[in-house]
Amino acid sequence: MAKLLDKILIVDIEATCWDGGNPPGMESDIIEIGICLLDVKSGEISGNRGIIVKPERSVVSPFCTELTTITQELVDTEGISFKESCNILKKEYQAQSRAWASFGAYDAKQFQKQCVAMDIGYPFGPSHINVKTLFALAKKLDHEQGMAGALALLNIPLEGTHHRGVDDANNIAKIFRWILR
């Protein structure tokens, strides 16, 4: 149960990916964790940050770079370990005591899979909010929208680079702010 309800931790990850299935011996690894905090009362978005994570079970493919703009060189030079990134979430963002949100279920599932595979403690508490489903329900839509589609329906411009966690977390926070109002 979330103990700190003043702010919601908004998370968007990018992970290694390929055009088609995973190459033999490679597993999807988180390569960026985009995060920010959404103040529940004021609607202020703060602490926007992108944590670059060095993949330990795969490499960044040209397809992945084309989608995210994240290169192997970037993760090699600026990346930290997945374990270190989980510690940042716990210590600096109090992730185990806050409700946290992402756009869809992918981010939660990827964190769970990678934590189990790498024997690292899950950095979040149990209070996950799926903004994608919540938005569709709030707008009374027949089906869920992608993040860019949700922003368009709200006439909110997509800021930054789509499929960069640091920018997408900020855009998701704007959608969630609309839901809370």
Side-chain angles (χ1 to χ4, degrees):
M1 192 73 140
K3 297 174 186 94
L4 300 173
L5 297 175
D6 58 332
K7 296 178 182 177
I8 298 167
L9 181 61
I10 308 294
V11 176
D12 185 78
I13 63 166
E14 304 304 329
T16 52
C17 55
W18 302 270
D19 190 9
N22 296 18
M26 292 206 193
E27 295 291 329
S28 285
D29 277 321
I30 294 171
I31 54 175
E32 183 187 23
I33 304 169
I35 45 183
C36 65
L37 292 165
L38 174 62
D39 187 290
V40 175
K41 290 182 181 162
S42 71
E44 179 188 353
I45 299 167
S46 64
N48 192 216
R49 175 179 181 184
I51 300 170
I52 301 297
V53 182
K54 189 176 287 197
E56 298 173 48
R57 305 173 300 159
S58 59
V59 296
V60 179
S61 70
F63 173 80
C64 188
T65 297
E66 187 177 316
L67 182 66
T68 66
T69 72
I70 298 170
T71 64
Q72 185 66 44
E73 181 183 12
L74 177 67
V75 297
D76 285 344
T77 58
E78 295 183 26
I80 61 173
S81 72
F82 180 64
K83 185 175 185 173
E84 286 177 88
S85 68
C86 288
N87 285 334
I88 289 170
L89 290 169
K90 289 179 202 173
K91 290 177 184 168
E92 295 181 30
Y93 290 87
Q94 300 167 302
Q96 292 181 315
S97 297
R98 291 193 188 283
W100 72 286
S102 62
F103 206 80
Y106 171 78
D107 304 76
K109 289 178 183 176
Q110 180 63 32
F111 259 104
Q112 289 166 349
K113 283 192 317 189
Q114 194 162 335
C115 285
V116 168
M118 299 180 84
D119 196 27
I120 294 170
Y122 190 63
F124 302 105
S127 300
H128 176 258
I129 301 163
N130 182 331
V131 177
K132 187 177 194 178
T133 301
L134 200 55
F135 176 76
L137 292 169
K139 285 291 272 182
K140 299 172 181 54
L141 302 175
D142 293 333
H143 60 280
E144 294 177 338
Q145 293 286 315
M147 186 199 73
L151 288 167
L153 284 172
L154 297 175
N155 293 313
I156 298 173
L158 190 151
E159 288 186 37
T161 302
H162 193 20
H163 299 300
R164 274 306 298 261
V166 64
D167 295 329
D168 285 352
N170 190 50
N171 286 311
I172 293 164
K174 292 175 187 176
I175 296 167
F176 202 5
R177 178 171 56 197
W178 176 85
I179 293 169
L180 290 175
R181 290 186 176 155

